[in-house]
Amino acid sequence: MKLLQIDTIAAQAEQTFDVAQEPMNLWTMASYGGWIMIVLAVLLALAVYLFIERLVVIKNAKKEDKSFMDRIKDYIHDGKIESALNLCHQTNTPAARMVEKGITRIGRPMSDVQVAVENVGNLEVAKLEKNLVIVATIAAIAPMLGFLGTVIGMVQTFYNMAGSASGVIELSALSEGMYQAMVTTIGGLIVGILVLFAYNYLVSRIDAVVRLLEGRTMEFMDLLNEPA
C-alpha cells in the first residue's frame, strides 16, 4: 500500500514537472492570481491615465513666453494697465494669472498686492496637485492587495491539504493556491513600485513649477518697487 502511494506521488510529481516545463506567458501567470489581479490591472490603468493627464497639465503650466515679464514691465511703466491685463489673459498660464491678479491690485499697499498674488499661486498649485492623492493611494494599496492575495492563496492551499480524504496530498491541488500566493505578491509589488515612481516624478515636476511661480512673484514685486 505504501509503495502504491509512493508511486502515485512520484507520478504526480513527474506530471507537475512536465507541466512546469511548458512556457508560461504573462497572461497565464496573471490568470492564476484570480480577481485580485483584475483589481490590480484596473488600478494600474487608472494610475496610467492620471499620470498622463497630470503630466499634460503640468507641462502646459510650465510653458512660458521668455519676453512675457519684459512686456509686462514696459506696459506698466508706460501706464498701459489694460494692455498688461490683456497680455496676461492671452498668455493664460499660472504665472500669468498671478501677475494679472497683482496688476489688478496696483495702487494698494504692497503687502496687499503680494498676498493677492500668493493666494492665486496657492490655488494654481492646488490645481496642479489635483488627483495626486489618488496616485499615492494606488501606490500604497497595490502591495497590500498583493499580500492579501498571498494570504488567500495560502488559506486555499491549507484548505485543500486539510480536505484530502485519502490522506494523499495531490500536488495539483496545492499548486493553484501557491500560484495565487506568489503571482498576486509579484503583481502588487510591480504595480506599487511603478506607481510610486510615477507619483514622485509628478511631485518633482510640480516642485519645478512652484519654483517658477515663486520666481515670477519676486520679479513682479520687484517690478512694482522700481522707480518709474
Side-chain angles (χ1 to χ4, degrees), residues 57-217:
V57 172
I58 295 171
K59 183 178 180 181
N60 291 334
K62 203 173 181 181
K63 287 182 179 178
E64 188 181 32
D65 184 1
K66 299 298 182 181
S67 63
F68 173 74
M69 289 305 299
D70 292 334
R71 296 171 65 185
I72 290 293
K73 179 179 178 179
D74 293 338
Y75 284 140
I76 291 178
H77 284 175
D78 294 341
K80 299 178 180 178
I81 303 300
E82 289 298 327
S83 298
L85 291 174
N86 290 334
L87 177 60
C88 293
H89 185 71
Q90 294 172 3
T91 304
N92 194 27
T93 61
R97 287 188 284 272
M98 290 173 57
V99 172
E100 181 180 4
K101 176 60 71 173
I103 293 174
T104 61
R105 295 295 189 270
I106 291 178
R108 297 188 180 183
M110 295 299 295
S111 58
D112 292 347
V113 177
Q114 184 170 357
V115 169
V117 172
E118 290 177 350
N119 287 339
V120 174
N122 292 332
L123 291 176
E124 294 296 335
V125 173
K127 291 178 183 179
L128 296 178
E129 293 176 344
K130 181 182 178 182
N131 294 328
L132 273 189
V133 65
I134 299 178
V135 179
T137 302
I138 294 175
I141 202 175
M144 297 176 65
L145 283 174
F147 292 139
L148 175 62
T150 301
V151 174
I152 293 175
M154 295 305 297
V155 169
Q156 181 178 350
T157 298
F158 286 113
Y159 178 81
N160 293 335
M161 291 174 62
S164 178
S166 63
V168 178
I169 301 174
E170 298 182 359
L171 297 180
S172 59
L174 304 180
S175 62
E176 183 176 353
M178 296 299 293
Y179 268 126
Q180 180 176 357
M182 297 298 102
V183 168
T184 54
T185 301
I186 294 173
L189 289 175
I190 290 176
V191 173
I193 291 171
L194 291 177
V195 177
L196 182 60
F197 272 112
Y199 172 78
N200 288 331
Y201 180 75
L202 290 177
V203 170
S204 66
R205 294 294 299 270
I206 291 176
D207 288 342
V209 177
V210 170
R211 290 192 295 271
L212 174 64
L213 297 181
E214 290 175 348
R216 291 296 169 266
T217 299

Side-chain angles (χ1 to χ4, degrees), residues 214-227:
E214 290 175 348
R216 291 296 169 266
T217 299
M218 295 177 61
E219 191 173 353
F220 178 73
M221 297 306 299
D222 289 341
L223 170 61
L224 296 184
N225 286 320
E226 289 180 359

